[in-house]
C-alpha cells in the first residue's frame, strides 16, 4: 500500500527471533510503499537483509538494561529522530521502550510500541519496568492472548491496544517453492544424508531453552521407544509396530551451552534409540519444514503468538503444540494440528503416535487445512497493511 512517512524502528538485536523478523518485514513494507525505513539495534545477522532492501541501519546499544545506558540512549535516539526527520518511532522491546519514550517526548514524535510477549510481572518493580511499552501513543499486541494479558494487567482500554497478529510470508514459506536440492543440502549439513531411511521426521524449531519444551520432546520419544520408567508407553500404531523417528532440534543455544549439554545428557540418560539431531541455527527454514512430516512446538510457558505454528501451517505441515497462549488461536485442534496439555510428555507422545499413525493422505489434508488457515488469518500482507494503517492514523507532529 502507498506510504510516505519515515519510521524509525528500535529493536535490541537483529538475530533470528520473531520480533526481529517482524522488524525486517515491516521495514520492507515501508520501503515498498514509498516510505523511509530506519532501524536502530545493537546489531545482528539480519542487518545485511535490511540494508539490501533499502533500510538505513543504525547501531546503538539499545539491548542494554543498564539504567545509565538506557538514559543515554534516549538522547541518542532523539538526535537520530532529528537528523533523519523521522515521523514515527516504533519500539519493540522493554528496555529500549524507556529510551524511546523519553526521546519521543523530547522531540514530540508519535510513539508506537509492540508487545511481542506477555511478560511476567511477579513484582511491582518488574511490572513498572514492563510498563514502558504501555506509555506509547499506540500499543500493538501480536495476538489476542497478548492483548487480553495487557488489559488484565494494566487495565488498559480496548481502544489503546490494537491486535495485529504476526504474519507468515506465504511466498517464502511455500512448499511448492522448495525443491529437493535445497532439502538434500540441508539434511546433508545436518548429517542425515538425504531423505530416505529416516522414518517419521519431526522438526522442533526453537532456540534451546527450558521453556520451549525440548526436554518434554526427549521424554516423549523415550516413551514411544518403551524406554521410560516414569510413565507407561503409549500403544503402538495401527501397523502393530513402533515407527522409527528422526527428530531435529532446529535452533541455537544463544551463547548458553549448558542447556545444550543437558539435552544431550538427557537423550543418553533416557536411552532414546531414535536419531535426534541438535542442528543449531537454520538459515533455510522453508527447506527444514519441507523435510519433516510434522512439527513440534510444546512450549512449557504460553507463547505470546508462536510463529512456529503459523510457519509450519504455511508450509502445509501439521503441528503438535502445547494448548495454551497464542497456539489456541493459531492451531485448530484436530483440523490443522493437535493441541496437548503443556509439560505433559505422555500426552505429547500420544499425539506424535497419532499423527505418525495417520496415512500420508490424512496428514496432507491436515497440512492443506493449516495453510488455508494461515492464508486467511495470518498472512504477512495483512500484518503489514494493518501496521502501516496504524502508522497513518498517528498525527504528523514535528519536533
Amino acid at each position: 500500500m502507498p506510504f510516505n512517512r519515515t519510521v524509525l524502528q528500535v529493536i535490541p538485536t537483529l538475530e533470528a527471533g520473531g520480533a526481529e523478523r517482524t522488524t525486517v518485514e515491516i521495514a520492507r513494507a515501508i520501503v515498498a510503499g514509498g516510505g523511509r525505513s530506519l532501524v536502530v539495534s545493537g546489531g545482528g545477522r539480519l542487518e545485511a537483509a535490511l540494508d539490501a532492501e533499502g533500510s538505513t541501519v543504525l547501531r546503538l546499544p539499545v539491548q542494554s538494561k543498564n539504567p545509565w545506558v538506557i538514559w543515554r540512549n534516549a538522547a541518542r535516539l532523539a538526535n537520530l529522530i532529528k537528523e533523519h526527520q523521522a515521523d514515527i518511532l516504533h519500539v519493540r522491546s522493554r528496555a529500549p521502550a524507556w529510551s524511546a519514550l523519553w526521546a519521543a517526548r523530547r522531540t514530540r514524535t508519535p510513539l508506537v510500541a509492540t508487545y511481542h510477549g506477555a511478560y511476567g510481572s511477579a513484582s511491582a518493580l518488574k511490572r513498572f519496568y514492563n510498563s514502558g511499552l504501555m506509555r506509547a501513543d499506540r500499543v500493538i499486541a501480536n495476538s489476542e492472548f497478548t492483548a487480553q494479558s495487557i488489559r488484565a494487567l494494566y487495565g488498559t482500554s480496548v481502544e489503546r491496544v490494537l491486535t495485529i497478529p504476526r504474519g507468515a510470508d506465504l511466498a517464502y514459506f511455500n512448499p511448492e517453492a522448495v525443491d529437493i536440492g535445497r532439502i538434500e543440502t540441508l539434511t546433508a549439513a545436518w548429517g542425515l544424508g538425504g531423505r530416505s531411511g529416516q522414518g517419521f521426521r519431526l522438526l522442533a524449531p526453537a532456540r534451546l531453552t527450558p521453556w520451549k519444551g525440548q526436554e518434554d520432546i526427549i521424554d516423549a520419544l523415550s516413551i514411544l521407544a518403551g524406554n521410560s520408567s516414569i510413565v507407561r508407553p503409549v500403544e503402538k500404531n495401527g501397523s502393530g509396530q513402533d515407527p522409527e523417528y528422526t527428530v531435529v532440534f532446529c535452533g541455537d543455544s544463544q551463547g548458553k551451552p549448558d542447556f545444550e549439554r543437558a539435552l544431550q545428557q538427557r537423550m543418553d540418560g533416557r536411552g532414546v534409540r531414535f536419531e535426534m539431531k541438535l542442528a543449531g541455527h537454520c538459515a533455510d527454514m522453508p527447506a527444514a519444514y519441507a523435510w519433516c512430516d510434522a512439527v513440534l512446538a510444546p512450549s512449557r510457558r504460553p507463547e505470546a503468538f508462536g510463529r512456529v505454528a503459523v510457519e509450519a501451517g504455511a508450509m502445509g505441515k501439521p503441528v503438535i503444540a502445547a494448548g495454551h497462549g497464542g497456539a489456541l488461536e493459531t492451531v485448530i485442534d484436530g483440523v490443522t494440528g493437535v493441541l496437548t496439555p503443556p509439560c505433559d510428555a505422555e500426552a505429547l507422545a500420544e499425539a506424535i503416535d497419532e499423527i505418525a499413525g495417520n496415512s500420508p493422505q490424512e496428514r496432507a489434508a491436515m497440512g492443506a487445512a493449516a495453510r488455508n488457515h494461515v492464508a486467511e488469518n495470518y498472512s504477512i500482507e495483512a500484518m503489514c497493511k494493518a501496521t502501516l494503517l496504524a502508522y497513518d492514523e498517528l498525527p504528523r507532529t514535528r519536533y
Side-chain angles (χ1 to χ4, degrees):
M1 61 174 284
F3 185 77
N4 65 353
R5 305 180 77 174
T6 298
V7 180
L8 192 160
Q9 297 186 82
V10 183
I11 183 82
T13 62
L14 282 165
E15 295 301 339
E20 292 90 335
R21 288 193 185 187
T22 303
T23 302
V24 174
E25 290 157 356
I26 295 301
R28 185 184 302 132
I30 291 167
V31 173
R36 291 176 59 225
S37 167
L38 313 169
V39 178
V40 172
S41 82
R45 59 169 66 102
L46 294 176
E47 283 184 316
L50 283 163
D51 184 66
E53 294 174 359
S55 288
T56 298
V57 180
L58 305 162
R59 280 201 179 188
L60 284 180
V62 289
Q63 76 277 21
S64 176
K65 296 180 181 178
N66 182 298
W68 172 243
V69 176
I70 290 172
W71 174 252
R72 288 198 64 192
N73 283 340
R76 293 163 173 163
L77 284 173
N79 289 336
L80 290 176
I81 290 168
K82 295 175 182 178
E83 177 185 351
H84 295 276
Q85 297 187 323
D87 300 306
I88 296 164
L89 186 59
H90 187 165
V91 65
R92 296 182 176 276
S93 188
R94 292 170 291 173
W98 289 100
S99 304
L101 176 64
W102 296 327
R105 287 179 175 174
R106 195 174 299 182
T107 60
R108 294 191 299 144
T109 303
L111 177 63
V112 177
T114 293
Y115 262 81
H116 288 279
Y119 307 114
S121 55
S123 67
L125 181 61
K126 191 67 175 284
R127 186 170 180 268
F128 176 77
Y129 172 68
N130 295 347
S131 74
L133 291 167
M134 291 306 306
R135 298 165 193 266
D137 301 297
R138 170 66 84 178
V139 177
I140 296 174
N142 65 354
S143 69
E144 190 54 40
F145 166 74
T146 302
Q148 291 174 359
S149 299
I150 294 169
R151 294 181 189 120
L153 187 59
Y154 293 103
T156 307
S157 67
V158 173
E159 292 76 17
R160 283 198 64 234
V161 180
L162 177 64
T163 300
I164 302 179
R166 289 265 304 282
D169 187 337
L170 292 168
Y172 181 67
F173 290 105
N174 179 2
E176 296 182 2
V178 181
D179 60 38
I180 187 65
R182 282 173 62 182
I183 299 170
E184 289 178 345
T185 297
L186 185 62
T187 54
W190 287 345
L192 298 180
R195 300 185 70 193
S196 61
Q198 296 169 20
F200 192 74
R201 299 179 293 271
L202 292 159
L203 183 74
R207 66 183 183 275
L208 301 184
T209 182
W211 76 271
K212 288 292 187 178
Q214 287 98 354
E215 293 164 306
D216 296 326
I217 294 172
I218 294 170
D219 291 350
L221 267 292
S222 176
I223 293 168
L224 288 167
N227 294 340
S228 174
S229 61
I230 307 171
V231 290
R232 64 172 180 78
V234 298
E235 294 181 3
K236 297 179 180 181
N237 65 21
S239 67
Q241 296 180 345
D242 282 326
E244 295 181 356
Y245 296 89
T246 297
V247 181
V248 171
F249 295 94
C250 196
D252 57 33
S253 59
Q254 296 188 331
K256 299 177 180 179
D258 289 350
F259 184 65
E260 183 173 353
R261 286 193 292 267
L263 290 177
Q264 189 63 60
Q265 291 169 359
R266 195 180 193 91
M267 293 176 197
D268 296 338
R270 293 290 186 269
V272 179
R273 62 180 175 85
F274 306 103
E275 190 172 13
M276 308 183 85
K277 294 288 182 180
L278 294 171
H281 173 72
C282 178
D284 191 353
M285 285 307 301
Y289 286 117
W291 165 81
C292 74
D293 296 305
V295 176
L296 301 174
S299 60
R300 291 181 168 183
R301 300 202 313 250
E303 296 271 12
F305 177 76
R307 64 182 171 86
V308 168
V310 171
E311 291 177 354
M315 288 298 296
K317 300 296 181 178
V319 63
I320 301 169
H324 55 179
L328 296 175
E329 301 168 43
T330 58
V331 180
I332 305 174
D333 191 25
V335 178
T336 68
V338 177
L339 295 174
T340 65
C343 309
D344 190 333
E346 182 175 357
L348 180 59
E350 290 173 349
I352 294 171
D353 190 62
E354 175 188 340
I355 296 293
N358 288 342
S359 68
Q361 293 78 16
E362 289 171 323
R363 288 196 296 274
M366 184 171 278
R371 183 165 172 86
N372 288 337
H373 180 55
V374 171
E376 291 173 3
N377 299 281
Y378 302 107
S379 72
I380 193 172
E381 291 81 9
M383 179 192 72
C384 290
K385 182 179 179 180
T387 303
L388 297 192
L389 286 172
Y391 289 159
D392 267 337
E393 291 174 356
L394 294 168
R396 292 180 177 268
T397 51
R398 180 56 64 196
Y399 23 86

